[in-house]
Amino acid sequence: VWTSTVTTDCRSSEEPANECYKAVASRQPLKNGAADRVRESLCPGSYEGDDVLKAGASERKAGIRCCSDDSDVRGVSYCKRGMCELYTWHEARDVCDALGMRLCSAFEIMVNKNEIAGTGCMYDGVPIWSSTPCEPAPSGAAVLPAGARPVDHWGSLRVDGTALRAQNGTGEEVQLMGMSFFWSNANWGGRDFYKDAVVESLAKDWGVTVLRVPTGVDNFGGLMFDWQSNERVVRDVVKAAIKYGIYVIVDFHSHHAHRFQEEALTFFESLARDYGSHPNVLWEIYNEPLPVTHWTTIKPYAETMVAMLRKYSQNLVIVGTRAWCQHPFEASQHPVSSGSNVAYSVHFYAGVARHGLAIQEDIKAAHANGAAVFASEWGMVDYNGDGDVNEAMSREWLDFLDAYRISWTNWAFHAKREGSSALKHGAPKSPPWDDHKWLAPSGLAIKDIIQHHHTRQSRSSASRA
C-alpha cells in the first residue's frame, strides 16, 4: 500500500505497480565492480532455505523494502503478500534510490520487525535485501556441554576483536549469561544473598554462567563507610563462584569511581592478589559514569586500573562508559591503551523506550570499530529498577544481544519490593525457592531464558541469514 508521504515516478505512473518497479530498476545502471560490493545480507525472518539463498552473489534475488531518514516515512515495502517481485541487490538498491529512499539496514529490519510484519516481505516467507550485512547466526556461540561447568570447559576468556573467546584450545566464541546481585552495602539487604548456597543454586539450578557482585563504594554502607564487611561479603561470592566453576564479575559499583581511584586501586589489588590467577574472576572497574563524566576522564582512570590489575591477572576487564554506560562507541574511538582483554560496558532497561534503538546503534558502531561490549547490567523494567516487566522489549533486546554475542548479567538477584527483583519480597534468604511461590515475574522470566537460551538462539538465528 502506497503512503501519501512518498512521491515517486511509480506513484504517478499508469503502469501496473510491479512493471513500474521493473522499469525503475532497468533504468538505473549497475556500477562497475558491483559484484564485489554485493551484500551477503538476505534478512529472511522465519524464512528458511530456498535457492535464492544459494545462488551466486551477483544473481541472488529477493524482495525490496526501502527506508528513509525522514521520520515521517518509516518505510515502504514493494510487494504484496505472496506476490513479491524479486530483484538482485543492485536492482533493489537502485529502485530505492529512484524513490528518493534507500535500502533499510539489517538493524532497522530487525528492530522494526513488528512494524513491517504483514507487509509480505518480512516474516511472511520472502527474504528482503538490506544495505548492511546481516549478522552471523547466534548458533556460532559456544554451547556448554550438558553437565559441564563453565570455567572448567571454557577456561580463561579473552577478547578477540568484538568476540569473547574461550582459551581452552577451541577458540570458541562465548556468550555469558547470568545475574547481578544487588548492592553489597551494609543494611541494604542485597548482601543477604551473598551466600555459598545461593551461588550453588544459581549455578546448578538456574544454569547461570556468570554472576556480578556490585560492591557499593560511596553510598551509605559501602566501602567508604564499612570497608571490612563489604570486602568480606564480596570475597564470599568470589570463593563460591570458583568453587562451583562459574565466572564472577567484581564490580566497583559507583557513579564517581574516578574520584576514588586510590580506594579502587587498594580494593582491586587486594582481590587480584588473591584471586587474579583464577580464570573465574572478571573485573568491572567503573559501574556507571554519569553523563557529565566524559571519556577523557574515564579513560585515564581505566588505564591506571588496568595497568595495576595486569600485575596479578590477565582476565577480562570491563570498563564503564559515559552516561550510565550507554556510549560504548565513544570508548571505541579512543580505546584503553594499557593492555588487551578489555571490553566496554553497556547498561539498559527494557522498560525505557529510549534505551532501545539509540543504545543498540551505539553498540553496533562500537562493534564496527572492533570493540568488545559486555552488558553487565540490564533489567526488564524501568531504569529505576521498578515497574512492570516489559517482556516484549526484553525479548527484542535478548535477540539483539544474541545476534551480537554480547554477554550479560540481569539486575538483580534480590527480594526487594521492586520490579527488577528476581525474588518476591519476603522470600527466604537461602534456597530452595519454589518458582511460583517465591520467584517474581522478572526472576521467572530470566530463569526460563537462561535455562532455555539455546532454543531461543536457534529461533533468533533464523532471523539473521
Side-chain angles (χ1 to χ4, degrees):
V1 177
W2 288 107
T3 63
S4 61
T5 52
V6 179
T7 302
T8 71
D9 292 337
C10 290
R11 182 179 176 221
S12 59
S13 172
E14 295 180 359
E15 296 178 89
N18 286 339
E19 295 302 315
C20 181
Y21 303 148
K22 290 178 181 178
V24 170
S26 66
R27 289 197 296 268
Q28 301 297 321
L30 300 181
K31 297 179 173 60
N32 293 333
D36 296 333
R37 297 193 303 275
V38 170
R39 306 292 186 177
E40 303 292 325
S41 57
L42 289 165
C43 292
S46 59
Y47 176 88
E48 292 184 28
D50 192 277
D51 288 342
V52 71
L53 296 176
K54 302 171 186 175
S58 62
E59 300 299 324
R60 290 183 181 178
K61 291 191 175 183
I64 305 176
R65 179 174 177 79
C66 301
C67 287
S68 171
D69 294 324
D70 182 347
S71 60
D72 293 330
V73 184
R74 293 180 180 272
V76 178
S77 291
Y78 300 99
C79 54
K80 297 178 182 178
R81 185 183 297 272
M83 298 177 63
C84 215
E85 290 292 326
L86 302 182
Y87 302 92
T88 67
W89 185 83
H90 295 91
E91 290 171 340
R93 178 203 59 190
D94 293 335
V95 166
C96 291
D97 285 348
L99 299 175
M101 302 177 76
R102 56 177 171 75
L103 286 176
C104 303
S105 69
F107 180 72
E108 288 172 315
I109 294 167
M110 183 267 289
V111 169
N112 296 312
K113 63 187 181 184
N114 292 327
E115 295 178 9
I116 54 186
T119 61
C121 288
M122 182 63 177
Y123 299 116
D124 296 311
V126 179
I128 61 176
W129 287 117
S130 66
S131 61
T132 57
C134 294
E135 292 302 308
S139 56
V143 176
L144 191 67
R149 305 195 324 169
V151 178
D152 293 344
H153 181 69
W154 289 324
S156 297
L157 301 177
R158 191 158 191 86
V159 168
D160 176 21
T162 63
L164 189 61
R165 296 195 182 277
Q167 300 301 296
N168 60 356
T170 67
E172 294 175 292
E173 186 170 359
V174 174
Q175 183 188 15
L176 302 179
M177 301 178 189
M179 291 297 302
S180 174
F181 284 106
F182 195 74
W183 303 65
S184 70
N185 301 51
N187 300 316
W188 284 30
R191 63 166 62 178
D192 292 344
F193 298 93
Y194 286 31
K195 298 178 179 178
D196 183 285
V198 173
V199 174
E200 181 182 21
S201 178
L202 289 170
K204 295 181 178 179
D205 182 26
W206 286 46
V208 305
T209 53
V210 62
L211 291 173
R212 177 177 182 246
V213 194
T215 311
V217 180
D218 46 321
N219 295 92
F220 185 75
L223 285 168
M224 303 302 295
F225 297 87
D226 186 352
W227 190 288
Q228 184 175 6
S229 74
N230 276 278
E231 183 172 336
R232 184 187 70 248
V233 296
V234 170
R235 285 174 174 267
D236 288 343
V237 176
V238 171
K239 288 184 286 188
I242 294 171
K243 177 179 178 180
Y244 297 112
I246 62 174
Y247 298 94
V248 59
I249 301 169
V250 177
D251 162 38
F252 200 70
H253 206 71
S254 172
H255 297 300
H256 316 282
H258 64 284
R259 299 179 184 174
F260 302 97
Q261 179 170 298
E262 291 305 315
E263 290 80 2
L265 286 167
T266 300
F267 172 73
F268 280 111
E269 186 167 23
S270 175
L271 273 76
R273 185 184 293 112
D274 291 342
Y275 306 114
S277 62
H278 293 271
N280 313 66
V281 186
L282 315 179
W283 314 103
E284 184 173 3
I285 58 176
Y286 200 145
N287 169 44
E288 284 184 346
L290 296 176
V292 296
T293 306
H294 295 284
W295 183 244
T296 52
T297 298
I298 302 166
K299 182 182 177 182
Y301 164 85
E303 291 178 338
T304 299
M305 299 304 302
V306 172
M308 182 279 295
L309 285 167
R310 290 296 177 247
K311 297 177 183 178
Y312 308 98
S313 176
Q314 301 306 310
N315 296 344
L316 177 69
V317 176
I318 304 168
V319 179
T321 61
R322 187 177 63 82
W324 306 287
C325 295
Q326 294 175 22
H327 295 285
F329 173 61
E330 288 183 352
S332 73
Q333 292 180 298
H334 303 283
V336 170
S337 60
S338 57
S340 58
N341 212 18
V342 171
Y344 301 98
S345 59
V346 65
H347 293 178
F348 65 89
Y349 282 81
V352 184
R354 69 176 183 273
H355 282 194
L357 182 61
I359 297 178
Q360 290 173 2
E361 287 285 9
D362 207 279
I363 293 170
K364 284 187 62 183
H367 266 214
N369 277 346
V373 176
F374 197 118
S376 57
E377 181 180 317
W378 76 276
M380 304 184 80
V381 296
D382 293 336
Y383 73 93
N384 62 358
D386 207 359
D388 295 331
V389 166
N390 189 326
E391 186 168 350
M393 284 306 300
S394 295
R395 292 285 175 175
E396 294 277 354
W397 262 107
L398 286 164
D399 282 348
F400 178 85
L401 297 177
D402 284 350
Y404 289 88
R405 317 290 204 284
I406 295 173
S407 298
W408 53 262
T409 54
N410 177 263
W411 184 268
F413 197 83
H414 190 23
K416 189 178 179 181
R417 291 184 188 272
E418 62 181 25
S420 62
S421 289
L423 300 173
K424 294 177 181 177
H425 183 69
K429 302 297 191 296
S430 298
W433 298 282
D434 178 85
D435 285 2
H436 297 289
K437 182 176 181 181
W438 293 120
L439 293 194
S442 180
L444 278 170
I446 293 297
K447 181 180 180 181
D448 179 72
I449 287 163
I450 292 173
Q451 290 182 332
H452 300 97
H453 73 274
H454 297 309
T455 301
R456 190 183 77 256
Q457 285 188 333
S458 296
R459 289 199 304 271
S460 179
S461 68
S463 67
R464 318 268 202 284

